[in-house]
Amino acid sequence: MHELDRLHSVTWACWAAAAALTVEIAPNPVYVVLVISLSAIVVEVHGRDRPLARAFPILLLVGATFGAVKVALTVLTVHGVGDTVVTLPEWTLPRLLGGFSVGGTVELEVILQSAAEALVIVGVMAVFGAFNAVVSHDQLVRALPRSFHEAGLIVTVALAFVPSTMATVRSVQESDRARTGGRIVRRGRLVRLALPILATGLEKAIDLASSMDSRGFGRAAGTRGERLAAWFAAGGLVALAAAVVALIGGSAGLGIALVAAGASLIVLAIFIGSSADNRSRYRPRGLTWSDGAVIVASAAAVIILLVFRSSGIGSLSWDPVPLRFPTVEPVTVAAIALLSAPAAAGPYAEALVLPSTSDEVRA
Amino acid sequence: MKQLCFRSLSFSYPSPDGSRVSHSTRWERARDAMTPGLADIDIGLEQAELALVAGTSGSGKSTLLRCVNGLVPHSSGGVLVGEVVVASRSTVRNKPRDLADLVGFVHQDPEAHFVVDRVEGDIAFSLENLGTEPDTMRRRVEEVLDALDIARLRHRSPASLSGGERQRCAIASALAVGPAVLVLDEPTSQLDPQGAEDVIGAVVRLNQDLGTTVLMAEHRLERVAAFADRALLMGGGRVVGDGDPTAVLADYPGAPPVTRLGRLLGWDPPPLTVKGALSHLRREPDAVPVPVDPAGPPPAPAAPGEAIVTAEGLDLRHGKVRVLSDVSFTAKEGEAIAVLGRNGSGKTTLLRTLAGLHRPQKGKVDCLRRASYVPQDPNTLLSAPTVRAELEQTQRLLGRVDHRAVDHWLDRLHLTHLAPRHPRSLSSGERQRVAIAAVAVGGAELLLLDEPTRGMDAESREALRSAITSHVASGGSVVLATHDVELAAGCATTVVVLGEGQIVAAGAGRTVLTGSLFAPQVLRVMPPFLTVDEVRAARTSA
């Protein structure tokens, strides 16, 4: 019945966790590039028409920037063994900044090693970007226990402000330029730009708050059940804090008892809070067979890779000393290929049902 | 039994200094302050009535509407005396969220309405908050999707929709709870004409077919006046007119052009639509003044001077979409050029290219004098604490402060009385005028105005029209991208129509607009006159 959501948000969360773990378990650059390309294919197949769909390229770019900075810093400060590519002028930092030397010889192995580590960052960012581009955040909120519903909703609303704020930043910059007929005045520019951005964001937030209020949000708040749940949750947190003190103090028995008590109080609070919530849910969606298949495939990929790591097969990692191309083994590639299950589960159905919509988006 | 009752309602905003003062002094001080409140409102609305709230910016329209579901005073602050009762529930004791099942409220800016990133889910949001049974909820959502004809958009993200579609989705989600009253605060002010038609059509259908009680504020009366059962005219926080739209709007300066035409020609009652005006005209054909020059009535456009900006063979793409193709364009001294065309036809892109914000892939722009661009959204510009400081800001950026120019532009755009106010405390039409003044005060010869009349009331539009005319008369030039044909008819010497990034028609305003489906109202009633002012001038000289 839900043609649109080919896969459940929970499935996407599992897939993203599995893909991120894969990058961590198998940091071999070839495998990381494989995961990044799989993420790109998944975004291509399942991408949605929302502003957050652009999360994938943006986060990829952010990851690449971080990676580049990391490589640059490593190359400047770490000196290892191997072939010297170039020799930079060396400079010793003042004692206040650590007193170590910057620059000097740059070795190929150091560059490759840090680039491989940076690629892992890019890989994790790519997976996170793909997750945000394909998941329905609203459905993710609905999948949470009901006591977390309001907190989750606030997070998704805040997330929706990111793309609109970016658009505001761009148009404020342009307005500032156009105001003087193209001349850019640097003095006081930051304040001139920041004020309209902040004020516009604040106005939008106030409008949204009054709109949510008019639509009955928070109407059920303050019932007896919710107050009870709040007390239980507070009690649970106090017990957990006490448990930390007890564990540090060395009384393990008391500590474990307190952890158990705190955890059960919090579970109870979630349970009471959820049943006290008299909001209803529109079209709740359960897991389907394709969801199951994707979850199983993602879990299998992680388990197989963990087995490979413990038995030392599959060339999961790569060491640039001595210098050689990373080894690639077909079994590992096959295991990682299991992460393409969402792409195999079929595309975003609306694209098939209503081909005309893409024209309207453009218009 | 009335559906909605305002009982001797008065309201004042909190005093500007925020100090805690006794109830009565606070009330008196706020009454004297410029912030509009409400005074002595006594209205009752019957079931299935469509009531239109008209009035200038700052006359208290929004405040009145926000009283219906208790946003005033619960989220605005301020002092409220009297009460509003919706289906026997008072807003004094109930918060907006407790009235969510009785009042459907639609905001002016559709963007501010959406909480869930899918249309269907957003419609269900209010129902979920009310704890509606899942079966009922499912049925309700399907029904409102059909009632507003948006079933094909159900899985889309609101952010990907056009303005008109978005506003209809917002109305659907307000309607889903089955409210006693639907409140719409200028629902079309941010939309293009097509989107506005869709929204008004949907509201009228809801009112006539489903019997929904509607309270709606609107500036563009020509679209709704004909459908309203009742008009409430607001002025200075009071209801100054209440009753049949024809009678109430007869003397209102913001009435549709045909109504003003009817008033000029002494038709009683003045018509609200072109159809009404034409039937009057059939009865008294003598009313038509003979144009002084039948071939083309006055005034003959002043001879344009030297070119300020010329663009040749502009080609521009955004990604794969071709936005402008082979557009050549010249603006000369003493010319006011109106660029018309539907949304997405390239109007904004053309203006931005002339302003140098876009670089065309082919062709070139030669700007011989200084050109300044006023963006569509004035909020991106306003950063100063007062209106006057906003204008001085531009001059400081350009390295000179000329207080005479500041006073001159404040006066030209009727902003003098707003000079000490904070720009963000103004209505959207007033903000738009501040943005235009703040850019124009820089002294650029060419002004590029992008959709300047969005959200403007009649008075603001008239102020803008006369400011454009006088800027042009003093040797400047104005290019405006607009949907507002009445504004174009009132001030443009040249009209350019864009379609799919190409120039479809260009020439003198009268020539281009004659025979167009989107001709101004007066031209449709008595060609070749474009505006009421032209008819008046012809009658005096005849």
Side-chain angles (χ1 to χ4, degrees):
Chain A
M1 74 173 193
H2 262 255
E3 287 172 305
L4 180 78
D5 298 311
R6 206 66 184 81
L7 295 171
H8 197 280
S9 301
V10 171
T11 313
W12 282 120
C14 292
W15 174 82
L21 276 173
T22 303
V23 173
E24 294 291 337
I25 300 169
N28 182 330
V30 178
Y31 300 152
V32 176
V33 168
L34 184 61
V35 172
I36 295 176
S37 1
L38 286 180
S39 308
I41 293 172
V42 165
V43 172
E44 192 58 39
V45 174
H46 290 271
R48 305 168 71 99
D49 63 347
R50 301 159 318 129
L52 277 173
R54 283 176 50 218
F56 182 68
I58 290 173
L59 283 179
L60 204 59
L61 196 71
V62 170
T65 315
F66 272 126
V69 170
K70 183 184 151 58
V71 171
L73 287 179
T74 314
V75 162
L76 281 177
T77 53
V78 175
H79 306 286
V81 287
D83 310 330
T84 302
V85 182
V86 65
T87 306
L88 298 172
E90 194 164 342
W91 185 49
T92 307
L93 287 181
R95 185 185 291 270
L96 209 63
L97 293 174
F100 50 85
S101 61
V102 176
T105 55
V106 176
E107 295 86 9
L108 184 62
E109 282 79 358
V110 174
I111 297 180
L112 289 175
Q113 179 71 44
S114 57
E117 284 164 13
L119 195 60
V120 172
I121 303 178
V122 178
V124 172
M125 289 302 248
V127 168
F128 185 62
F131 172 69
N132 275 297
V134 296
V135 81
S136 154
H137 292 85
D138 163 52
Q139 201 183 56
L140 200 61
V141 170
R142 285 155 194 266
L144 291 172
R146 287 188 185 194
S147 352
F148 294 124
H149 184 270
E150 296 202 354
L153 190 71
I154 289 161
V155 171
T156 53
V157 167
L159 214 55
F161 263 77
V162 175
S164 79
T165 306
M166 276 164 58
T168 310
V169 170
R170 214 174 28 243
S171 47
V172 166
Q173 281 173 339
E174 282 177 0
S175 303
D176 187 60
R177 226 175 92 198
R179 180 181 205 163
T180 51
R183 189 174 349 154
I184 296 176
V185 184
R186 302 239 173 253
R187 201 163 55 90
R189 185 155 185 257
L190 201 63
V191 178
R192 254 177 10 247
L193 298 185
L195 281 174
I197 293 168
L198 289 177
T200 307
L202 203 63
E203 275 176 0
K204 274 187 191 158
I206 291 171
D207 283 348
L208 187 65
S210 75
S211 156
M212 285 171 77
D213 200 10
S214 320
R215 298 174 66 191
F217 182 70
R219 185 175 160 106
T223 57
R224 233 180 89 230
E226 281 200 347
R227 280 199 297 274
L228 197 65
W231 281 109
F232 273 63
L237 288 176
V238 170
L240 286 179
V244 173
V245 175
L247 287 173
I248 291 170
S251 53
L254 180 65
I256 290 167
L258 280 171
V259 168
S264 43
L265 273 176
I266 286 177
V267 170
L268 206 61
I270 291 173
F271 183 73
I272 295 173
S274 300
S275 60
D277 184 357
N278 55 11
R279 252 192 311 265
S280 49
R281 276 184 192 187
Y282 176 70
R283 292 179 91 177
R285 179 196 191 278
L287 295 180
T288 60
W289 282 107
S290 16
D291 285 315
V294 171
I295 293 174
V296 167
S298 308
V302 173
I303 292 167
I304 292 171
L305 290 174
L306 281 174
V307 170
F308 282 3
R309 185 166 75 172
S310 57
S311 48
I313 54 169
S315 334
L316 297 183
S317 51
W318 173 63
D319 186 2
V321 185
L323 203 59
R324 64 197 151 78
F325 192 78
T327 326
V328 180
E329 295 201 19
V331 275
T332 319
V333 172
I336 292 175
L338 282 173
L339 289 174
S340 64
Y348 179 38
E350 197 187 39
L352 296 176
V353 180
L354 297 167
S356 66
T357 48
S358 57
D359 297 339
E360 285 164 14
V361 175
R362 216 174 296 136
Chain B
M1 175 71 205
K2 304 260 186 201
Q3 223 32 12
L4 168 66
C5 258
F6 291 84
R7 294 200 185 127
S8 48
L9 184 82
S10 291
F11 171 76
S12 70
Y13 282 109
S15 53
D17 55 7
S19 58
R20 290 193 165 270
V21 285
S22 76
H23 188 91
S24 64
T25 39
R26 192 167 162 182
W27 167 233
E28 281 164 13
R29 193 184 301 179
R31 197 173 43 193
D32 299 338
M34 293 208 299
T35 344
L38 295 174
D40 312 322
I41 309 280
D42 264 296
I43 318 168
L45 234 62
E46 303 288 347
Q47 192 174 3
E49 219 171 354
L50 196 165
L52 178 67
V53 184
T56 53
S57 294
S59 60
K61 296 194 299 294
S62 276
T63 314
L64 181 78
L65 297 187
R66 290 163 71 86
C67 282
V68 177
N69 71 342
L71 281 173
V72 170
H74 293 294
S75 66
S76 66
V79 186
L80 185 109
V81 184
E83 67 173 351
V84 181
V85 180
V86 190
S88 76
R89 221 183 290 167
S90 159
T91 63
V92 176
R93 284 178 297 280
N94 292 288
K95 293 210 166 94
R97 47 182 171 272
D98 303 316
L99 293 159
D101 53 335
L102 286 179
V103 183
F105 191 89
V106 179
H107 203 271
Q108 184 173 10
D109 182 2
E111 205 182 315
H113 188 89
F114 296 100
V115 181
V116 179
D117 72 351
R118 177 189 292 180
V119 168
E120 187 184 18
D122 195 79
I123 294 173
F125 178 74
S126 323
L127 294 166
E128 287 181 319
N129 287 328
L130 298 175
T132 316
E133 288 299 314
D135 295 345
T136 321
M137 180 150 54
R138 186 71 208 274
R139 204 191 66 221
R140 279 282 180 66
V141 172
E142 295 298 330
E143 284 171 359
V144 295
L145 283 174
D146 286 339
L148 286 137
D149 193 22
I150 51 172
R152 75 203 156 80
L153 308 174
R154 64 188 303 165
H155 295 305
R156 296 270 298 275
S157 158
S160 73
L161 304 178
S162 74
E165 289 172 335
R166 247 190 273 183
Q167 196 61 288
R168 276 188 292 156
C169 293
I171 295 174
S173 64
L175 194 72
V177 294
V181 184
L182 189 61
V183 179
L184 305 157
D185 188 2
E186 293 179 21
T188 65
S189 69
Q190 308 292 316
L191 309 180
D192 60 289
Q194 186 52 51
E197 288 307 323
D198 287 350
V199 168
I200 298 293
V203 171
V204 169
R205 206 168 55 239
L206 290 177
N207 171 255
Q208 293 185 343
D209 297 353
L210 309 182
T212 314
T213 312
V214 179
L215 185 64
M216 171 159 70
E218 183 61 55
H219 277 315
R220 298 296 187 81
L221 298 174
E222 54 266 35
R223 295 200 187 110
V224 265
F227 302 107
D229 300 307
R230 181 173 174 184
L232 301 167
L233 191 60
M234 300 286 297
R238 287 165 195 275
V239 176
V240 293
D242 178 5
D244 183 58
T246 320
V248 172
L249 298 179
D251 296 325
Y252 177 53
V258 277
T259 311
R260 280 180 287 138
L261 181 70
R263 207 169 5 181
L264 177 73
L265 301 178
W267 291 339
D268 189 44
L272 289 173
T273 57
V274 170
K275 185 175 161 181
L278 286 172
S279 77
H280 268 293
L281 202 59
R282 267 199 304 279
R283 268 178 273 137
E284 356 173 356
D286 304 339
V288 186
V290 184
V292 180
D293 171 10
E306 289 170 45
I308 293 185
V309 66
T310 52
E312 266 172 62
L314 294 182
D315 256 3
L316 198 139
R317 292 162 191 275
H318 285 322
K320 287 178 206 155
V321 187
R322 195 164 192 186
V323 192
L324 293 179
S325 58
D326 196 22
V327 172
S328 296
F329 187 90
T330 310
K332 298 190 183 114
E333 283 174 353
E335 258 191 330
I337 303 175
V339 183
L340 305 176
R342 78 175 79 82
N343 269 3
S345 60
K347 300 191 298 295
T348 295
T349 311
L350 175 61
L351 253 66
R352 292 164 59 93
T353 312
L354 294 178
L357 291 170
H358 286 313
R359 192 173 298 239
Q361 270 97 15
K362 245 185 3 205
K364 64 177 170 91
V365 176
D366 257 335
C367 202
L368 306 170
R369 307 277 183 77
R370 217 141 53 75
S372 285
Y373 169 75
V374 185
Q376 218 171 76
D377 182 2
N379 293 329
T380 59
L381 197 77
L382 305 176
S383 60
T386 65
V387 170
R388 178 178 288 278
E390 194 67 66
L391 269 66
E392 288 168 353
Q393 166 99 295
T394 309
Q395 298 205 318
R396 250 198 314 279
L397 293 178
L398 293 166
R400 58 187 153 74
V401 176
D402 175 5
H403 291 286
R404 276 202 21 235
V406 170
D407 289 332
H408 179 65
W409 276 101
L410 284 175
D411 182 50
R412 253 190 190 177
L413 284 163
H414 297 197
L415 290 166
T416 312
H417 65 291
L418 301 173
R421 293 270 299 273
H422 193 290
R424 298 258 170 189
S425 72
L426 304 176
S427 75
S428 57
E430 289 166 338
R431 286 185 198 192
Q432 192 81 50
R433 276 188 286 155
V434 175
I436 294 169
V439 172
V441 80
E445 283 84 2
L446 176 64
L447 289 178
L448 303 158
L449 310 180
D450 195 355
E451 212 54 75
T453 53
R454 281 220 301 192
M456 272 198 185
D457 62 358
E459 201 186 341
S460 300
R461 280 159 78 193
E462 180 50 32
L464 176 67
R465 193 196 61 74
S466 64
I468 291 175
T469 313
S470 46
H471 180 72
V472 169
S474 62
S477 175
V478 176
V479 180
L480 55 146
T482 187
H483 288 299
D484 190 341
V485 280
E486 305 291 346
L487 177 77
C491 69
T493 54
T494 309
V495 171
V496 172
V497 183
L498 283 184
E500 290 205 307
Q502 291 173 321
I503 292 183
V504 178
R510 202 177 315 279
T511 328
V512 175
L513 290 174
T514 305
S516 156
L517 271 182
F518 300 102
Q521 285 192 328
V522 175
L523 182 69
R524 276 183 268 178
V525 177
M526 40 177 71
F529 295 98
L530 283 176
T531 60
V532 180
D533 289 338
E534 282 182 2
V535 178
R536 185 178 295 124
R539 273 168 67 90
T540 28
S541 57

